[in-house]
């Protein structure tokens, strides 16, 4: 019986059923990553429609209502369809290998948490074909009433889709917490865990805390729309600002759900290519926990213009400035890790260094937005658009690229093409800055967000931004080519892959076997 069981475990199931019914953490991680990549191109195409319309003033390509649908769908897909599934994909692939576990703690639930997602995104995308009934949601990704109370049937589909995405996130978070707390190899204490595992443990608790809040908010919207309640409908005595409070109580921790795993990836890559241990490992853990805690105390900084009392505005202003301290600790530690290290600049390191530099710019513009009287000027302008793209594209997307290049040899057993990787990096970074840096100036000059038309004086910066966006998109086709080329072949990767890489995942062969750590490794 023992031999039968062991040979069974070595076999790969074949065909489509392997992917439909798999409970293997590596397969499920792969599914998440491919879904994220597909949605990346879908969301990116929507961004190109937005930028093409804004190439010059006047209405060129799409009507204003469809333009608003594009801004809403682009944001929902990028947040829930790209960044979150990509990081969950990394978690599925890497966490069991990093802690010496044979698999995730709840493998069947793991399968379910993935397979909810394609149906949720099909439901959300189907709203684009409902133009007769009002089409896709067009109230912005924040789904503010009264627009969502009055919107067409697409809003109902979006609400159902968000419920499904939330269920998937909660199941994934429970699985990650159970795996990390119960399945670490003997000798791996909590403070010996790699930082990527730590950031995901904290992120999973954030998900458990805030996804039900979003579910509650959109359910109240649904009852306002169809069941005669007036939570947010001012016509019935409701308060639209209440929705903003509930939404941002979810929305601000969500921003850190999108960035903490990125911090974890950067904290794995920078020490490897600096040939040094991470500077201040324990302080990084405490800083991550502090960021997560403070993220619950700053939600109303998104709402300074709604007429809050001065005391409330002061509290949220100071709390927002306070959150810069643990983030500053992290940036300092990354720089201190690189300081006098024996650094080399392979593609993962290039993306990680670009992340540290550009994310810091996003953080500084965030501090500008934290100052109440200044925010009155910046609010709902392109300055905010520039700020959160510097935080989320250079923060999340760049680290997703860094992690993909870093672990791809371990996953596929082949080295990617380093020259093409560097081309992808430089094209992406230059085009990213051409796209989003001018938007700071547009915002400071007073150009509002979410408008398909604008005054003549904004033309040049918008044209620069649009050209940058098309180059940025084209560069991602190169990334797709590199990934497919690496999967199909290339130079064989060693077990270690990167000189200076430390951790249990670098002790298993490349490509990582279908089942790893049947016998738990000992961690000294």
């Amino acid at each position: 019986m023992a031999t039968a069981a062991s040979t069974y475990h070595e076999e790969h199931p074949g065909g489509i059923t392997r992917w439909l019914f798999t409970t293997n953490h590596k397969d499920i991680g792969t599914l998440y990553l491919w879904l994220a990549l597909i949605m990346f191109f879908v969301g990116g195409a929507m961004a190109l429609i937005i930028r093409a319309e804004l190439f010059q003033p006047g209405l060129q390509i799409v009507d204003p209502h469809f333009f608003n649908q594009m801004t809403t769908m682009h944001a929902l897909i990028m947040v829930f369809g790209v960044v979150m599934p990509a990081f969950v994909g990394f978690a599925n692939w890497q966490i069991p290998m990093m802690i010496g576990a044979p698999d995730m703690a709840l493998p069947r639930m793991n399968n379910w948490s993935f397979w909810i997602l394609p149906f949720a995104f099909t439901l959300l995308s189907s709203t684009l074909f409902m133009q007769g009934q009002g089409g896709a949601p067009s109230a912005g990704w924040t789904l503010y009433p009264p627009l969502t109370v009055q919107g067409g049937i697409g809003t109902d589909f979006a609400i159902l889709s968000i419920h499904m995405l939330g269920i998937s996130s909660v199941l994934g978070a429970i699985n990650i917490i159970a795996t990390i707390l119960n399945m670490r190899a003997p000798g791996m204490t909590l403070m010996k865990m790699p930082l990527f595992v730590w950031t995901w443990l904290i992120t999973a608790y954030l998900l458990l805390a805030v996804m039900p809040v979003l579910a509650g908010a959109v359910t109240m919207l649904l009852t306002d729309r169809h069941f005669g309640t007036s939570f947010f409908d001012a016509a019935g005595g409701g308060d639209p600002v209440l929705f903003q409070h509930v939404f941002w109580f979810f929305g601000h921790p969500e921003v850190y759900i999108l960035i903490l795993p990125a911090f974890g990836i950067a904290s794995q890559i920078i020490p490897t290519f600096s040939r040094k241990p991470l500077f201040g490992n324990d302080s990084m853990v405490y800083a991550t926990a502090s960021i997560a805690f403070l993220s619950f105390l700053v939600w109303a900084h998104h709402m300074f213009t709604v007429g809050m009392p001065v005391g409330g505005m002061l509290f949220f202003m100071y709390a927002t400035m306070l959150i810069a301290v643990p983030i500053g600790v992290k940036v300092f530690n990354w720089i201190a890790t690189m300081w006098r290290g024996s650094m080399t600049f392979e593609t993962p390191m290039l993306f990680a260094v670009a992340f540290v530099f550009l994310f810091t710019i996003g953080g500084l513009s965030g501090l500008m937005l934290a100052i109440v009287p200044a925010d009155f000027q910046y609010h709902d302008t392109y300055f905010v658009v520039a700020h959160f793209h510097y935080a989320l594209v250079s923060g999340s997307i760049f680290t997703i690229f860094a992690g993909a290049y870093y672990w791809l040899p371990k996953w596929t057993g082949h080295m990617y093409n380093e020259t093409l990787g560097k081309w992808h990096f430089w094209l992406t970074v230059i085009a990213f800055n051409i796209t989003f840096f001018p938007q700071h100036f547009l915002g400071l000059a007073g150009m509002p967000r979410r408008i398909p038309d604008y005054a003549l004086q904004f033309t040049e910066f918008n044209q620069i931004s649009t050209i940058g966006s098309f180059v940025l998109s084209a560069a991602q086709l190169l990334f797709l080519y590199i990934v497919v080329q690496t999967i199909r072949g290339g130079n064989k990767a060693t077990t270690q892959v990167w000189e200076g890489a430390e951790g249990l995942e670098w002790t298993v062969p490349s490509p990582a076997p279908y089942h790893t750590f049947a016998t738990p490794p000992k961690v000294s």
Side-chain angles (χ1 to χ4, degrees):
M1 281 303 287
T3 51
S6 60
T7 52
Y8 166 74
H9 275 301
E10 281 313 305
E11 281 175 17
H12 279 244
I16 186 115
T17 53
R18 168 182 173 183
W19 301 103
L20 286 174
F21 305 126
T22 182
T23 55
N24 182 284
H25 73 97
K26 299 180 182 76
D27 281 352
I28 293 170
T30 303
L31 286 168
Y32 269 109
L33 290 165
W34 275 112
L35 176 77
L37 192 58
I38 291 163
M39 299 313 289
F40 183 50
F41 286 106
V42 173
M46 293 173 178
L48 291 184
I49 292 170
I50 295 166
R51 286 306 333 158
E53 179 57 58
L54 292 172
F55 185 69
Q56 54 192 28
L59 298 175
Q60 274 72 242
I61 299 169
V62 295
D63 67 84
H65 181 58
F66 188 74
F67 182 89
N68 288 344
Q69 293 176 21
M70 286 294 98
T71 55
T72 305
M73 293 287 283
H74 165 70
L76 288 172
I77 283 173
M78 285 299 189
V79 170
F80 295 110
V82 179
V83 179
M84 289 171 75
F87 283 141
V88 178
F90 281 121
N92 264 293
W93 250 104
Q94 293 306 129
I95 288 175
M97 291 210 293
M98 285 177 157
I99 64 174
D103 207 313
M104 297 294 277
L106 305 160
R108 284 193 178 86
M109 191 165 91
N110 203 12
N111 174 290
W112 194 40
S113 70
F114 170 77
W115 278 110
I116 291 171
L117 292 181
F119 294 98
F121 289 119
T122 305
L123 205 62
L124 184 61
S125 307
S126 70
T127 58
L128 290 165
F129 304 100
M130 300 176 185
Q131 297 304 341
Q133 294 93 10
S138 57
W141 87 282
T142 53
L143 304 173
Y144 279 180
L147 292 172
T148 35
V149 175
Q150 299 157 0
I153 195 172
T155 308
D156 300 320
F157 275 70
I159 288 170
L160 182 54
S161 169
I162 286 166
H163 273 299
M164 292 167 74
L165 298 170
I167 291 167
S168 169
S169 294
V170 167
L171 294 179
I174 290 169
N175 206 349
I176 286 166
I177 292 169
T179 304
I180 295 170
L181 294 186
N182 296 311
M183 298 184 68
R184 299 192 307 282
M188 181 170 282
T189 60
L190 284 174
M191 292 317 276
K192 280 187 189 169
M193 292 195 312
L195 225 92
F196 178 70
V197 180
W198 256 115
T199 53
W200 246 116
L201 180 63
I202 291 166
T203 302
Y205 278 111
L206 279 180
L207 278 166
L208 286 187
V210 301
M211 291 315 286
V213 176
L214 177 65
V218 294
T219 304
M220 291 156 85
L221 268 182
L222 199 64
T223 61
D224 274 12
R225 285 169 57 78
H226 297 295
F227 299 104
T229 58
S230 292
F231 293 113
F232 311 127
D233 190 355
D239 183 4
V241 175
L242 172 64
F243 178 86
Q244 296 191 27
H245 278 292
V246 179
F247 178 86
W248 285 114
F249 189 78
F250 147 81
H252 204 79
E254 168 67 18
V255 173
Y256 292 99
I257 288 165
L258 299 175
I259 204 69
L260 290 182
F263 291 171
I265 291 174
S267 302
Q268 299 298 131
I269 291 171
I270 289 171
T272 296
F273 295 99
S274 303
R275 314 294 190 281
K276 277 173 68 184
L278 184 67
F279 182 90
N281 187 77
D282 291 9
S283 65
M284 289 292 250
V285 173
Y286 299 134
T288 308
S290 310
I291 291 165
F293 173 72
L294 289 169
S295 73
F296 287 100
L297 306 179
V298 297
W299 78 88
H301 69 206
H302 297 268
M303 303 167 50
F304 285 148
T305 57
V306 301
M308 266 191 287
V310 173
M313 289 197 288
L314 284 172
F315 169 79
F316 286 108
M317 178 168 83
Y318 293 136
T320 304
M321 289 178 164
L322 189 62
I323 211 164
V325 176
I327 292 177
V329 167
K330 284 183 161 293
V331 173
F332 175 83
N333 285 12
W334 288 321
I335 294 169
T337 304
M338 292 186 270
W339 178 251
R340 302 185 78 171
S342 178
M343 287 171 70
T344 53
F345 293 99
E346 287 85 350
T347 311
M349 184 61 163
L350 287 172
F351 272 109
V353 172
F355 150 73
V356 174
F357 178 68
L358 296 171
F359 179 76
T360 303
I361 293 175
L364 293 171
S365 61
L367 276 175
M368 293 169 69
L369 290 161
I371 300 162
V372 173
D375 185 76
F376 269 63
Q377 189 67 30
Y378 306 140
H379 187 78
D380 263 347
T381 69
Y382 259 76
F383 188 85
V384 179
V385 178
H387 154 69
F388 68 69
H389 281 91
Y390 266 83
L392 289 177
V393 179
S394 67
S396 303
I397 303 287
F398 279 22
T399 46
I400 289 167
F401 288 145
Y405 285 114
Y406 186 56
W407 284 308
L408 202 57
K410 179 55 67 184
W411 300 341
T412 63
H414 303 126
M415 295 303 291
Y416 62 88
N417 184 321
E418 188 66 59
T419 307
L420 288 180
K422 289 194 162 111
W423 268 100
H424 173 232
F425 167 76
W426 286 111
L427 282 170
T428 299
V429 165
I430 292 166
F432 165 77
N433 283 291
I434 292 171
T435 305
F436 295 110
F437 205 77
Q439 294 179 8
H440 291 100
F441 304 124
L442 287 169
L444 293 172
M447 180 175 162
R449 295 169 67 177
R450 304 192 184 110
I451 55 162
D453 189 11
Y454 52 83
L456 208 56
Q457 70 262 30
F458 301 134
T459 307
E460 284 84 357
F461 277 141
N462 268 303
Q463 290 184 336
I464 293 167
S465 191
T466 295
I467 291 165
S469 69
F470 276 82
V471 178
L472 182 61
S473 300
Q476 306 328 309
L477 295 171
L478 180 59
F479 175 68
L480 177 63
Y481 174 77
I482 293 166
V483 170
V484 172
Q485 186 191 50
T486 310
I487 292 167
R488 294 178 66 175
N491 294 336
K492 288 281 176 220
T494 60
T495 298
Q496 176 82 11
V497 183
W498 307 109
E499 179 204 342
E502 289 186 1
L504 292 176
E505 77 262 41
W506 307 111
T507 62
V508 301
S510 305
Y514 197 62
H515 294 279
T516 40
F517 299 126
T519 312
K522 291 275 192 295
V523 178
S524 57

